[in-house]
Amino acid sequence: MKHLTLWHTNDVHSHLEHWPRIFAFLKEKRTTANKEGDSALFFDIGDFLDRVHPLTEGTNGLANTDLLNQLPYDAVTFGNNEGTTLPHEDLDNLYKNAAFPVVCCNFFADKARTKQPDWVKSIVYKEINQIKVAIIGATAAFKEYYEEMGWGVEEPLSAIKKQIASLEKDTDLVIMLSHLGLPTDERIALEIPEVDIILGGHTHHLLENGKLEGQALLAAAGRWGEYVGKVDIVLTDDNQIITKIATTFKTEDLPAPPNEANEIKAFFEKGRDELAEKVVAIPEKLAHNWFDDSEIAHILNDAVCEWTGAETFVMNAGIFMTDFEAGIVTAFDIHQMLPHPLNAIVLTMTGEELEILIDGIYRKKAELKDIPLRGFGFRGEFFGTILADRTGFDPVKEIALFDNKPIDKNQDYRIATHDTFVFAPFFPIVKQIKRKEVYTPELLRDILKWKLKKMYGQEENK
């Protein structure tokens, strides 16, 4: 009999407060396996970085690749936080010093999908204990984002099927690194029976003891580095799988390395130093308010409307995390105020669609403001009140208003918002809008930075 152990992480999202424990734990597993001649492979399933952390922001993600190198991992795939929140050039550079292959079969260097970037492989093979392992990766197909930035992305199931069709004949084990989410992983298991193990991510699902779907074992370790995953595989001497068992380890229960607190602090301080450049000096404090209007919200509204040509910007006040004190504002200050990896998105709506949206906002505003939202690009504490300049609602006549007048049903309106409103399920009408323009790679904080420079005498061309 033969044994093979897979260790996996997913959706760490730059929660580097968990990294010292995870790293010490996995490093010890790798060292022991090497010393005792055990067979072990180490994988990350994407969204390892998140621009919410100043170290990730200040190094364009390169610090995250350095952390993965220190183990080093045997292969990784990447998620939407690597793929859609980094500008083209920064994603192109992200893995230039990687000590591991980046595996993703549905990602391309061009919109026409004729070639892959030189830093991506569709499939890699590893020979370990005379077991030939095929490793396939795939990432969530955020088509509008990728194509806007000049990349190409394919629907993942068809891309995976192509890799399976061309598998080398003597392959013993097929492992899928899937940053696609649990529903898609379940489809892969049922539609592509050649896949033996699916290590998953993207939907932040925790499968504490895995899940058998068809012949495949699905494994996933939740979110934010709160868990580490393990899969134990037992094979016959001629490489037929006998058993495959998934387990997870809670990070807070792992041994703390002696220098844990200092390491976590150093990650943050290094990021702050990387972002120390002065952006502007402001004459008075700009305060935030999660549950009401604020001057900083008006500035961001004007900035996004000017940047995109939209008529208003629908946002949640919870996106503003700090105040700007009077005096010098640095890149770090702007990052701390708007740490979310959020883009401006413009919806071209009919008057009727806009009426439905404003009506929905009016009815749901109170219940949404205290929601402790997690995800959909939002990295704050509470959703906060919804702000949308120029819109209103007449509660007596029960009609939506724009500039204090009833909305013209025959007119089109260009309404800006951000990713959270598009991906969260609060306003179904937003998902139904066909005409959407994603303004990328600039995040909301980049647009705010541009506006502040214009306002305070350091004009920058767009």
Side-chain angles (χ1 to χ4, degrees), residues 286-299:
L286 293 172
H288 75 299
N289 187 334
W290 290 343
F291 305 112
D292 206 345
D293 221 340
S294 65
E295 182 60 26
I296 193 65
H298 283 292
I299 292 171

Side-chain angles (χ1 to χ4, degrees), residues 34-294:
N34 290 346
K35 197 160 63 184
E36 297 180 5
D38 296 335
S39 302
L41 294 170
F42 296 76
F43 302 112
D44 185 76
I45 320 300
D47 278 3
F48 183 70
L49 68 72
D50 191 312
R51 290 179 62 182
V52 69
H53 197 289
L55 182 60
T56 302
E57 179 77 356
T59 64
N60 303 315
L62 293 175
N64 294 72
T65 302
D66 289 344
L67 296 177
L68 292 168
N69 278 345
Q70 286 167 23
L71 189 57
Y73 279 72
D74 289 290
V76 309
T77 195
F78 59 91
N80 43 293
N81 272 269
E82 287 88 2
T84 69
T85 74
L86 288 175
H88 191 290
E89 184 187 350
D90 293 331
L91 179 56
D92 228 6
N93 286 332
L94 182 63
Y95 299 110
K96 66 182 178 186
N97 296 318
F100 47 80
V102 178
V103 194
C104 189
C105 68
N106 65 323
F107 184 76
F108 297 86
D110 58 332
K111 285 189 239 186
R113 307 203 298 264
T114 62
K115 61 183 188 293
Q116 290 202 292
D118 56 12
W119 48 271
V120 173
K121 291 177 165 47
S122 291
I123 186 167
V124 296
Y125 291 92
K126 285 203 174 273
E127 187 92 33
I128 185 163
N129 193 13
Q130 296 175 310
I131 306 162
K132 186 165 184 176
V133 182
I135 301 152
I136 304 170
T139 197
F142 284 81
K143 192 166 183 277
E144 291 114 320
Y145 289 77
Y146 282 123
E147 292 193 350
E148 181 66 30
M149 292 198 285
W151 303 111
V153 67
E154 184 181 353
E155 188 282 314
L157 266 84
S158 62
I160 296 162
K161 285 172 182 172
K162 283 177 208 163
Q163 296 307 313
I164 293 293
S166 61
L167 274 179
E168 292 178 7
K169 293 281 181 269
D170 54 346
T171 301
D172 297 307
L173 184 69
V174 178
I175 298 171
M176 183 78 223
L177 310 185
S178 165
H179 195 86
L180 299 171
L182 183 57
T184 308
D185 291 352
E186 291 168 340
R187 275 191 65 197
I188 293 166
L190 297 175
E191 290 183 30
I192 313 176
E194 295 86 349
V195 177
D196 298 300
I197 311 281
I198 302 172
L199 305 178
H202 185 50
T203 44
H204 297 186
H205 51 290
L206 173 65
L207 302 176
E208 287 184 86
N209 299 110
K211 179 182 184 186
L212 272 172
E213 193 75 51
Q215 297 303 303
L217 175 66
L218 279 56
R223 60 174 192 181
W224 301 351
E226 291 174 345
Y227 291 82
V228 175
K230 179 190 185 190
V231 175
D232 286 300
I233 307 164
V234 179
L235 306 95
T236 62
D237 289 334
D238 61 349
N239 296 335
Q240 301 302 305
I241 297 170
I242 302 171
T243 60
K244 40 193 178 181
I245 296 168
T247 46
T248 48
F249 297 81
K250 202 169 188 180
T251 303
E252 69 178 13
D253 296 338
L254 301 178
N259 56 345
E260 181 179 46
N262 287 339
E263 270 189 80
I264 294 166
K265 191 176 168 197
F267 290 144
F268 190 84
E269 287 180 349
K270 184 163 189 275
R272 186 174 58 198
D273 292 347
E274 293 279 357
L275 296 170
E277 71 187 86
K278 174 190 166 181
V279 177
V280 288
I282 61 173
E284 56 196 8
K285 178 175 178 168
L286 293 172
H288 75 299
N289 187 334
W290 290 343
F291 305 112
D292 206 345
D293 221 340
S294 65

Side-chain angles (χ1 to χ4, degrees), residues 333-349:
D333 297 327
I334 294 172
H335 178 268
Q336 293 300 285
M337 176 175 268
L338 286 172
H340 332 268
L342 291 170
N343 298 95
I345 299 174
V346 173
L347 314 169
T348 299
M349 311 179 79

